[in-house]
Amino acid sequence: MTAVADGEANEKPAYTYIGSDRKRVEDPRLLVGRGGYIADLKMQGLTHAAILRSPVPHGRIVSIDATEALKIPGVIAVLTGEDVKKHMNPCMNFGPPTIPQFPIAVDKVRYVGEAVAAVVAEDRYIAEDGVEALVVEFEDLPAVTDPMKALEPGSAVLHDEHGTNLGYERTFEFGDISEALGRADLVVEDTLHWGRSAGMPMETSGAVARIGLNGVLEIHCNSLNFSYLQFLVATALKIPSNKLTMRPVPAGGSFGSKFTAHKVPTLAGFLALRTGRPVSYVEDRLDHLMNSDHHASDRYYDAKMGFTSEGIITGLDIDVVDDYGAYLQFGVGTHGNAFSQAVGPYTFRDLKYRLRAALTNKCQQGAYRGFGSEVHNWVLERLIDKAAQELGLLPEEIRRRNFIQPDQFPYKIPGGNLYDSGDYPKVLDTALGMIDLAYWRKEKARLREEEGRYIGIGLATTQERSVFSSTEFWFWFDEPAFPITSSPESATITIDPTGAFQLLLHCQAMWGNSPETVSTTIVAEEFGIEPNTVNVSYADTARALPGTGPGGSRYTVMVAGAVRGAARKLKKKLIDIAAHTLEVSAEDLELVDARVQVVGAPERSLGLPELAASAYFFALSLPPGMQSGLEEAYTYDHPYTTLPSADRTDLGVFYPIMGHACHIAVMEVDPDTGQTSFLDYVAVHDAGTVVNPKSLGGHVTGGAAQGLGSTLYEELAYDEEGQFKSSTFLDYLVPTANEVPPFRIGHVETPSPFTEYGIKGGGEGGRMVTPSVVSAAIDDALREYGMRVRELPVKPSEIVATVQDSLARG
Amino acid sequence: MKPPKFMYCDPDSVEEAVALKSRYGHDSLVLAGGQSLMPMLNMRLANPEVLIDINRVTDLQQITRDGDVLEIGAGVRQSVLETDPAVAAAVPLLGLVVPYIGHIENRHRGTVGGSLAHADAAAELPCAAVTLDATIVVQGTEGRREVPAREFFEGFMTNCCAPDELVVAVRFPVTPAAAGSAFVEHARRQGDFALAAAAAVVTLDAQGHIASAAVGVAGISGTPVRATAVQDALVGGPTTTEAIAAAAAAVGDSVNAADDMHATGTYRRHLAVTVVKRAITAAVGNAAAVERNGS
C-alpha cells in the first residue's frame, strides 16, 4: 500500500518515468528460475571445495593429518594454513595491520567456524567426506567471549602482534558535553545492548575460479565491490592485478552480507591456483551462519542524554563497547555510519562519543543494512522515549520540539557531516495523518479495562543516511595508511546500429535490489524510450570503469548520476549528427520521445534508428571530425564530500544525502506468553525524489522486516565457552510472512539539492526505524509492569519475567 | 551440507520394509516424509548405512474407522488430517493440532508415523497421541504389537521400537461426541517447535462440572506427558476461571526442560501453566457449545 503525500506536485519537474509505479525489470527472469546464480554456473572439469571449520573458539593448530582424506577416491587436494602462509599475503583489511586475516586460519583459530582446511574434490559430497576424514589436533587456549572481560588486563589475547584485545579506541567530543549535561533539567541514562544479527539472503556467498586464457585467473563471484577493490584480491593472491579478472554473478540477496565479502572469492581463487583445476566454493548454510564475513553490530552502551524541562535535548554522551569478534576487517566503519547522523533529526550540538572495539573469540563483523547507523538510531530513540515518559510528553511532541527545521538546510551537524535537505515535521504529520492515534490511545485504555488486553503504541523519527564517501573508512586514524577519497560509479550507454539501447554497469550491482529497474528508468527518462527495451549487462574487472557498487544506500543516486552523465554526452552527439543532417543549428534541436526534432517544428525530425545508422555506417554523412559509433561512458564521483580536518575536530562531509523516516506501530503484547502482534503499522519515508514507489516500498518493507528480526527474533548467540548456538535456522529465527505485519507505506519527497533529479538513497531505512518503534510499543503496552526494552532481541521470556517480577513485588 | 554415502532401498510392502529393518537394524533409518531426517542427514547428524524409503508402501497410507477406533497409517501425510472429514468427526483434536506442525509445505510431506517415531517432545502429534490414549502399532519380524502412547515415548527423541521394528499405524479412540477438545501452543514463530503446548479433552456432567479431563503437554520434558495432577484437580470440580487456574498451576512441577536460548526454565514453567489453563478453558467452552447445540 503506497501513498505519495506531497501536495506540491506542480513544483516538481514533470517526469515521464521517474516517480511512477513500475514493475521491476529484474523480476521476470527471477520468477521463472533464471536468475543465473553462482551455484548454476557449470564448467568442464569443475571441482568443489568444502571447509573444515574450527570446533574450538580459541586454539593453536598443532597438526592437521590429511592422510585418510587424501585416500578417498575423488579427493584432489587438502590445503591448510601452512599453504596459505607460503603462497598468500593477508586478505584485504581496513583495520589495524596488526590484526591480519587469511581465508584459512594460520597457526591459530580464533572463533568457532573459522576455516582450518579446505578439501577440493570432484563433487561436494566427496569434499565433505574428505572434511570428515581430516584429523586435527588443537591446543586449546582460553576462550575470550565477554567483551568487557576481554579488555581487562590478564585476559588471553587473540592477536599477539596486536598485544591487546582492544582493537581500537577513540573518543570524539564535539561541543562541551559536561556543560550540556550540566545545564540540563533532566539527564536520562541507560545501559543498552544491541545483540548480533546478520543479513540472511536465501543465497549464500560463493565463487567459481579457474585459470583461463593467458594464465589469467578468472573468479566469478556474487560478492565484493570488485571494480573498486579487485587489486586487493590480486595482492592477497600474490598475482599481478591484470592477471585477475573478476566476473560479476547476480546475487540472491545481500542486505550487506555480500558487501566486500572477500574471503570466499579469494579462497576460491587460491584453490584454483594451487590445484590448477576450476574450483567452486559456495558456502552452505552452516558455513554462512557461523562464518559469514558479516555478523553485524554487537554493542554495549552506557548512554546519557540531557533535556530541558521543555524536552529540548541539550547533549548526548555515548560510551560504547562494540564486540567485533576475532578480526577488524572494516575497521570501525560501522561507527562512522553512526556519526553521519549522530544527532538524528534533532538540533542539539553537544556530543561525546567514546568507542572501544573489543576483540573476542567470535565471528568478525561486516555490513548489515544500516551498517551500524541503525544501532545509534535505536539508542537515540530509546533515550528520547525515556525522557518523554519522565517529562510527561507524548512521543510525537518531544520529537517535534527538537526537529531541525526545513529552513535550516543544508545543516552541518556536530562532527562535521552535513544534512542536505529535509522536512521532518511534514514526515511526522504525514505519518500521523495515516493513523488515528487518538483512537488507538482510547482503545488502549478500553481494552485494558474491559478485556484485560495490553496494547502499546510506538513512534520513532530517525535519519536514513545515504551515499557514503570513502573518507569514513579512515578519518578514525590520525595517520591513515590509505586516505582514499574516491567512491565513483560509472555507466556506459550504447545505442546500436538499429537504435536499440545497451547499458553497461561497472560494478557488482545485482544483489536482489533493483539496479536495472532504476538505471533503465533513467535511460528511458533521458531518451524518451520504454525502460524495458534497454538491455543491461555488467562489466568484468578487465573492462570495468571505476565503480564502487551498492552499499550505504548509494547505488540509485550514483547510477542515476552516471547514466545521466553518459546520456548527456550521447544526446549531444545525436543532436550534432541531426544538426548536420538537417542543416540546422544544434541549439535549435531537442531530443523528445526518441527523436531529435527542431524546437517548434517537430515535423522536422530524425528518429534514433536513422541517427544510429548514420553514426555506424555513413561516416561521410557525419559532421567533419566526428568518430563513428554511438557509445558514451561517464564516471560520476560522489556529489558532495569534503576532507576531515587534520585534528579531526571536523570529520568532513561524508554522508550528506540524508533521508528521514517516521514509523508508528500499534502492538499487542500477551503478558503471560510474551507473544507480540501488530494491530497497525505505518512507515513514512523521505528519500528525496522517488524513482519508483514500488521498488522503494519494497526496500522499506524488506528493511522493516529485517528490523523486526533484529528486534524480536534473530540472535547470533555464543555461550560462555565460545560455542556458537545459532548454527541453523532452527535456532536463528528469521521472521517469516507470518510474523511480519503489512506495513502501510507513505512517501514524502524533499529532493536533494546535490544529486541528479534530487534522488536520495532509501535502501536501508526500514531497518533503521523498526527496532526503535517496536521497542517503544512493547514498553508502552506493559508500562504498568515497568517494561523497558534494554537489550535486543527482546525475547518472550524476558517480557514474561518482567511482568512476573513486577507482580511478585506487588 | 551433503549426506555421507548410504545404500537406498525402496520396498513396496510392509513385509519387505520389516525384512530390511530386521537385516540392517540400528544401521538403517526409515525415510518417510523426510522433514526431520533429511536435514539430519545433510548435517551429518545421522549416518545410516541403509535408508529404507517407505513412500512406496501404499498399505501404510490408509485411514480406517473400526468401530470406536480410528486407525491412521504411518505413511499418511499430516496435511490429510487437516482436511479429512472422517478424522474431524472421529477425533476432533487432530484437526486442531496438525496446523501447528511446521508449515503447510512440511505437512504435505511429513507423515503421521514419522512424527511419532521421531518422538520430539515438543511435537504436536506425540502430544495428541498421549492425550488421547492412542496406541502405536509397530511391526517387526515377530509380527505386530500395539504400544500405548505413554509407553511408546521413552525419552528424548527415543521410542520403544526394537531395531527390527517400524511404526505402521496409530490407533486413536474415537472421542465422545459430547467432549470438548482444544489445543494451545506457544512457539517463537508460527511453525516452530513448541516452547510449550497443551491439548485438552473434557466432558461435562449434568451440573456443568467437569466429568472427565485428559490434558497432555508438549515441550516441557523429555517426552510428551499427561498432566495427571491437573486432571485430578479438575474432575468433579467447577469450570470457573479460578478452578481452572488452580488446577493448571499443578503442571508447573512437571516442567524439567533445561534452559535454552529460546526459553528459560522459569519462563517455560509459566508458559506451561498458561497454555494448560487456556487449553482447558477452550475445551470446556467447546464442550459446553456441543451440549448447547445438541440440546
Side-chain angles (χ1 to χ4, degrees):
Chain A
M1 203 178 302
T2 293
V4 177
D6 192 283
E8 292 158 40
N10 52 353
E11 286 178 18
K12 280 165 49 184
Y15 297 124
T16 306
Y17 299 105
I18 291 174
S20 62
D21 250 334
R22 300 181 63 81
K23 287 183 179 172
R24 296 182 351 132
V25 302
E26 297 87 349
D27 282 342
R29 69 171 189 264
L30 301 180
L31 292 172
V32 298
R34 292 185 183 158
Y37 297 123
I38 190 76
D40 301 327
L41 189 59
K42 310 289 184 216
M43 57 181 72
Q44 188 70 32
L46 185 63
T47 67
H48 295 265
I51 307 295
L52 172 69
R53 301 208 165 274
S54 175
V56 302
H58 197 191
R60 245 171 255 294
I61 302 168
V62 177
S63 64
I64 300 174
D65 182 352
T67 316
E68 292 305 312
L70 288 166
K71 282 183 193 163
I72 297 172
V75 169
I76 296 160
V78 176
L79 290 122
T80 70
E82 292 301 310
D83 301 286
V84 159
K85 197 158 47 173
K86 260 184 257 162
H87 301 290
M88 278 190 77
N89 290 314
C91 285
M92 67 171 75
N93 175 20
F94 301 96
T98 46
I99 308 176
Q101 188 174 17
F102 292 88
I104 302 177
V106 168
D107 300 331
K108 259 179 90 166
V109 288
R110 295 184 177 85
Y111 62 91
V112 168
E114 186 163 17
V116 176
V119 177
V120 181
E122 296 295 346
D123 67 36
R124 177 75 185 233
Y125 293 81
I126 299 171
E128 293 192 19
D129 291 345
V131 165
E132 214 169 17
L134 292 173
V135 181
V136 184
E137 189 186 336
F138 296 99
E139 176 195 333
D140 283 338
L141 295 168
V144 180
T145 55
D146 180 324
M148 307 303 172
K149 288 183 186 155
L151 301 181
E152 287 171 5
S155 169
V157 171
L158 270 76
H159 296 272
D160 293 337
E161 198 186 341
H162 192 70
T164 163
N165 295 325
L166 184 61
Y168 178 88
E169 175 173 19
R170 182 133 195 177
T171 302
F172 285 110
E173 184 168 347
F174 306 108
D176 182 344
I177 192 63
S178 306
E179 187 278 330
L181 296 183
R183 72 185 150 85
D185 300 311
L186 167 71
V187 176
V188 294
E189 289 188 54
D190 222 337
T191 53
L192 301 165
H193 175 215
W194 173 286
R196 262 172 195 249
S197 54
M200 286 296 151
M202 282 198 279
E203 184 212 35
T204 56
S205 295
V208 173
R210 71 168 169 189
I211 300 167
L213 286 178
N214 296 331
V216 170
L217 177 66
E218 300 166 357
I219 303 178
H220 304 254
C221 68
N222 59 12
S223 65
L224 204 70
N225 309 312
F226 53 67
S227 43
Y228 200 41
L229 300 171
Q230 172 264 6
F231 73 99
L232 292 173
V233 175
T235 303
L237 293 169
K238 292 188 174 174
I239 57 175
S241 59
N242 66 350
K243 291 292 183 186
L244 169 64
T245 298
M246 302 192 75
R247 299 230 158 106
V249 177
S254 167
F255 319 111
S257 80
K258 293 188 173 78
F259 178 83
T260 317
H262 52 85
K263 285 196 283 296
V264 166
T266 307
L267 179 62
F270 178 70
L271 297 176
L273 286 173
R274 299 313 304 162
T275 61
R277 296 279 302 269
V279 179
S280 167
Y281 174 59
V282 181
E283 292 178 329
D284 65 20
R285 191 56 63 183
L286 296 171
D287 290 324
H288 189 76
L289 270 160
M290 69 170 111
N291 176 70
S292 156
D293 280 7
H294 290 70
H295 284 193
S297 297
D298 188 354
R299 297 187 187 168
Y300 297 81
Y301 285 88
D302 281 314
K304 291 188 194 118
M305 198 176 222
F307 292 83
T308 69
S309 55
E310 274 72 50
I312 305 302
I313 304 166
T314 64
L316 173 65
D317 186 352
I318 296 272
D319 185 348
V320 55
V321 171
D322 201 332
D323 185 351
Y324 269 94
Y327 299 95
L328 209 53
Q329 55 179 356
F330 296 123
V332 289
T334 49
H335 289 271
N337 271 256
F339 267 134
S340 72
Q341 47 189 50
V343 295
Y346 311 119
T347 52
F348 67 94
R349 302 297 307 175
D350 298 281
L351 168 72
K352 185 178 170 192
Y353 197 104
R354 181 190 189 206
L355 162 66
R356 284 171 290 167
L359 298 167
T360 62
N361 292 119
K362 300 174 189 172
C363 182
Q364 69 257 324
Q365 287 186 16
Y368 184 24
R369 218 167 190 165
F371 208 75
S373 66
E374 77 285 16
V375 190
H376 187 77
N377 281 354
W378 180 69
V379 171
L380 275 178
E381 297 297 290
R382 286 278 73 201
L383 294 170
I384 290 168
D385 279 332
K386 190 169 186 183
Q389 197 57 36
E390 296 195 21
L391 293 168
L393 292 171
L394 290 171
E396 60 270 35
E397 184 53 31
I398 193 169
R399 288 169 169 83
R400 194 187 291 280
R401 289 182 188 184
N402 283 284
F403 277 157
I404 299 161
Q405 295 302 308
D407 60 3
Q408 290 179 275
F409 295 98
Y411 182 90
K412 198 160 172 66
I413 67 165
N417 196 35
L418 180 126
Y419 296 172
D420 56 347
S421 65
D423 189 341
Y424 307 149
K426 187 168 165 183
V427 172
L428 176 61
D429 288 335
T430 303
L432 290 170
M434 289 170 65
I435 186 167
D436 187 348
L437 280 190
Y439 162 79
W440 280 114
R441 284 173 174 144
K442 261 189 263 167
E443 187 67 357
K444 172 179 149 81
R446 186 192 72 78
L447 286 171
R448 177 71 188 89
E449 184 72 19
E450 295 178 11
E451 299 180 26
R453 289 167 60 189
Y454 297 78
I455 72 168
I457 295 157
L459 181 148
T461 54
T462 75
Q463 299 301 78
E464 179 178 359
R465 89 287 174 274
S466 69
V467 195
F468 72 78
S469 158
S470 43
T471 59
E472 69 153 335
F473 299 144
W474 55 265
F475 62 54
W476 295 92
F477 303 98
D478 291 322
E479 292 176 0
F482 189 59
I484 181 174
T485 57
S486 303
S487 49
E489 207 57 63
S490 302
T492 305
I493 304 174
T494 309
I495 301 175
D496 78 6
T498 73
F501 279 73
Q502 294 279 2
L503 175 64
L504 183 65
L505 303 177
H506 294 270
C507 63
Q508 160 58 297
M510 182 54 201
W511 281 355
N513 47 340
S514 311
E516 297 166 27
T517 299
V518 166
S519 56
T520 58
T521 299
I522 306 296
V523 173
E525 194 67 51
E526 291 294 317
F527 291 94
I529 56 169
E530 278 294 317
N532 56 13
T533 63
V534 180
N535 189 59
V536 180
S537 56
Y538 299 89
D540 66 33
T541 57
R543 294 184 297 151
L545 296 168
T548 315
S553 294
R554 66 189 298 285
Y555 197 70
T556 296
V557 166
M558 296 303 291
V559 81
V563 169
R564 197 176 206 186
R568 283 197 182 107
K569 290 164 75 178
L570 200 51
K571 282 159 80 170
K572 179 177 184 315
K573 185 165 186 178
L574 289 166
I575 285 175
D576 286 347
I577 295 170
H580 186 72
T581 309
L582 297 171
E583 299 183 321
V584 296
S585 164
E587 288 78 58
D588 295 332
L589 293 173
E590 59 183 352
L591 196 159
V592 177
D593 292 342
R595 296 187 76 77
V596 177
Q597 64 191 32
V598 176
V599 177
E603 69 283 0
R604 290 195 65 198
S605 68
L606 290 166
L608 289 183
E610 294 155 279
L611 292 165
S614 292
Y616 283 91
F617 301 122
F618 302 101
L620 297 180
S621 304
L622 294 176
M626 181 180 278
Q627 293 172 350
S628 292
L630 275 178
E631 176 171 289
E632 295 291 350
Y634 191 84
T635 298
Y636 180 73
D637 279 298
H638 192 287
Y640 185 5
T641 176
T642 65
L643 280 172
S645 66
D647 63 3
R648 302 294 188 266
T649 53
D650 182 339
L651 302 174
V653 177
F654 59 97
Y655 236 137
I657 313 303
M658 190 57 62
H660 180 72
C662 174
H663 289 200
I664 303 173
V666 183
M667 296 179 73
E668 178 161 6
V669 185
D670 181 336
D672 279 316
T673 63
Q675 187 152 17
T676 52
S677 55
F678 289 89
L679 303 178
D680 200 0
Y681 196 116
V682 298
V684 176
H685 286 246
D686 182 351
T689 301
V690 177
V691 178
N692 185 338
K694 192 185 290 290
S695 63
L696 181 61
H699 270 308
V700 172
T701 299
Q706 290 181 310
L708 184 60
S710 297
T711 308
L712 293 179
Y713 300 102
E714 299 180 37
E715 183 184 25
L716 294 162
Y718 292 82
D719 68 14
E720 285 176 13
E721 282 75 46
Q723 283 301 324
F724 185 52
K725 310 292 283 179
S726 311
S727 55
T728 74
F729 282 162
L730 198 61
D731 286 318
Y732 188 81
L733 308 178
V734 178
T736 72
N738 295 310
E739 284 73 44
V740 177
F743 300 110
R744 296 196 292 127
I745 293 168
H747 299 293
V748 167
E749 296 185 77
T750 313
S752 172
F754 304 132
T755 67
E756 294 291 347
Y757 309 103
I759 301 166
K760 300 181 180 186
E764 299 161 273
R767 191 161 175 272
M768 293 184 183
V769 203
T770 307
S772 302
V773 77
V774 170
S775 299
I778 292 171
D779 285 358
D780 189 46
L782 299 178
R783 200 174 303 288
E784 65 192 86
Y785 300 112
M787 186 72 206
R788 166 91 179 147
V789 171
R790 290 194 174 81
E791 180 164 42
L792 300 186
V794 195
K795 293 188 190 173
S797 56
E798 285 149 22
I799 292 173
V800 171
T802 299
V803 172
Q804 291 300 309
D805 289 351
S806 170
L807 290 171
R809 282 195 307 272
Chain B
M1 291 174 75
K2 302 290 182 197
K5 262 192 183 161
F6 52 80
M7 190 171 86
Y8 173 83
C9 307
D10 56 342
D12 295 317
S13 69
V14 177
E15 290 68 30
E16 277 178 76
V18 167
L20 287 164
K21 204 72 189 93
S22 151
R23 183 161 163 202
Y24 296 107
H26 285 305
D27 296 328
S28 65
L29 286 171
V30 176
L31 172 66
Q35 298 303 291
S36 299
L37 181 55
M38 292 311 294
M40 288 173 69
L41 286 173
N42 285 337
M43 288 191 276
R44 299 190 175 222
L45 297 172
N47 193 355
E49 262 178 48
V50 180
L51 206 59
I52 304 168
D53 180 346
I54 58 167
N55 284 286
R56 282 157 49 104
V57 185
T58 47
D59 285 354
L60 293 179
Q61 294 163 9
Q62 313 302 318
I63 299 178
T64 48
R65 173 86 180 253
D66 175 13
D68 286 341
V69 173
L70 183 77
E71 182 169 312
I72 301 172
V76 171
R77 307 291 166 187
Q78 293 150 3
S79 60
V80 172
L81 306 191
E82 287 174 79
T83 50
D84 188 322
V87 173
V91 190
L93 183 65
L94 292 175
L96 301 176
V97 307
V98 169
Y100 287 90
I101 304 173
H103 300 275
I104 188 66
E105 296 84 350
N106 306 111
R107 302 194 290 273
H108 282 326
R109 292 294 306 166
T111 64
V112 172
S115 175
L116 294 170
H118 190 57
D120 192 308
E124 291 79 6
L125 282 175
C127 179
V130 165
T131 307
L132 296 168
D133 287 323
T135 53
I136 318 289
V137 185
V138 301
Q139 188 168 336
T141 40
E142 305 288 305
R144 286 164 73 108
R145 65 186 176 109
E146 296 192 7
V147 186
R150 276 191 267 183
E151 293 166 28
F152 179 79
F153 303 106
E154 291 194 329
F156 178 73
M157 292 175 106
T158 311
N159 64 42
C160 74
C161 289
D164 70 331
E165 287 178 324
L166 75 152
V167 175
V168 293
V170 55
R171 292 168 64 83
F172 289 99
V174 169
T175 307
S181 302
F183 184 72
V184 174
E185 171 170 318
H186 183 68
R188 288 293 303 274
R189 298 172 303 179
Q190 186 178 324
D192 286 343
F193 278 103
L195 298 177
V201 182
V202 299
T203 56
L204 304 177
D205 65 19
Q207 286 74 46
H209 286 189
I210 292 177
S212 71
V215 179
V217 194
I220 62 169
S221 64
T223 63
V225 293
R226 278 289 280 272
T228 47
V230 177
Q231 295 170 182
D232 294 347
L234 285 172
V235 172
T239 58
T240 59
T241 308
E242 295 72 24
I244 292 172
V251 80
D253 296 336
S254 313
V255 180
N256 57 22
D259 286 13
D260 61 35
M261 65 184 283
H262 304 300
T264 61
T266 310
Y267 170 64
R268 218 184 280 266
R269 269 190 292 283
H270 186 80
L271 200 59
V273 173
T274 302
V275 293
V276 165
K277 185 167 64 186
R278 290 179 183 179
I280 295 166
T281 305
V284 165
N286 290 340
V290 168
E291 185 149 316
R292 275 197 307 277
N293 294 340
S295 60

